[in-house]
Amino acid sequence: MKKIIFICMIATMLFACKSASTTASTEATTLSTKLDKSTQVALKGNWVLTNVSYPGSEYIKVNSFDLADSKCFIGSTWGFISNNNKGTMALTAPSCTGFSSPIVWSINNQGMFVLKILDAGIKAKKVRDGYLLKVGSVTETSFQLIDNINVGGQVKDVVYQFQRAN
């Protein structure tokens, strides 16, 4: 059985909803569990999310990771440990509610970034909900995570741009 997570976004005069899944299924679109270790090592370290964009759709409002408006993620800090797939993320934008949490993450050989945001004291294996984003444009100093949302029946990208902090 496939577990679906619904992330809803409000667009001007439109409602946009997205479903994502991190649970592997027996369907033809099974999520690979084989890891892309070289890309994971490239992301090791501390990062700052410097921009969120919606190419071709600047008038939408996105609630990222069921936490906050996507613009609240600008300036957020992310730490990735590649040898155990753990890390941290913290929202620090002055006009938004602060938030920090441990995370568990991985990148599979299909180029998908798998993210689980953990509650204090909860082990990753107990967390059934997560997020899938496509990894794009990885360099030594920057990378992108790309999410897809449905806006009025059209698929649009949400691009999260990261810059190395150290």
Side-chain angles (χ1 to χ4, degrees):
M1 186 169 189
K2 189 174 189 178
K3 180 162 180 70
I4 302 292
I5 303 159
F6 292 101
I7 306 166
C8 290
M9 282 65 51
I10 299 173
T12 305
M13 305 284 269
L14 295 172
F15 290 96
C17 292
K18 176 186 190 263
S19 66
S21 172
T22 58
T23 304
S25 70
T26 56
E27 299 173 14
T29 57
T30 300
L31 181 64
S32 174
T33 57
K34 189 168 186 152
L35 300 179
D36 179 351
K37 291 188 186 266
S38 63
T39 303
Q40 286 186 175
V41 169
L43 298 189
K44 178 182 175 181
N46 296 313
W47 298 83
V48 175
L49 197 155
T50 58
N51 190 40
V52 179
S53 62
Y54 327 99
S57 301
E58 295 304 316
Y59 299 105
I60 61 176
K61 183 173 179 72
V62 177
N63 183 16
S64 295
F65 310 112
D66 292 326
L67 292 174
D69 182 88
S70 60
K71 296 299 182 181
C72 289
F73 281 81
I74 296 172
S76 62
T77 56
W78 297 67
F80 300 112
I81 303 168
S82 61
N83 65 338
N84 66 6
N85 298 100
K86 293 183 180 182
T88 59
M89 56 92 61
L91 278 69
T92 58
S95 60
C96 300
T97 302
F99 177 83
S100 66
S101 178
I103 61 172
V104 173
W105 65 284
S106 63
I107 300 171
N108 73 11
N109 65 352
Q110 296 165 316
M112 298 302 293
F113 184 93
V114 181
L115 172 67
K116 287 185 179 183
I117 299 171
L118 307 178
D119 290 326
I122 304 295
K123 294 187 181 234
K125 67 182 177 181
K126 299 277 186 187
V127 177
R128 310 257 331 150
D129 297 340
Y131 305 91
L132 286 174
L133 298 101
K134 185 174 181 183
V135 177
S137 187
V138 177
T139 71
E140 287 184 24
T141 59
S142 68
F143 76 96
Q144 295 176 334
L145 293 178
I146 304 164
D147 199 1
N148 297 122
I149 61 172
N150 183 326
V151 179
Q154 296 181 350
V155 176
K156 301 292 181 180
D157 289 339
V158 178
V159 180
Y160 300 94
Q161 180 69 47
F162 291 81
Q163 296 293 321
R164 188 171 293 281
N166 57 353

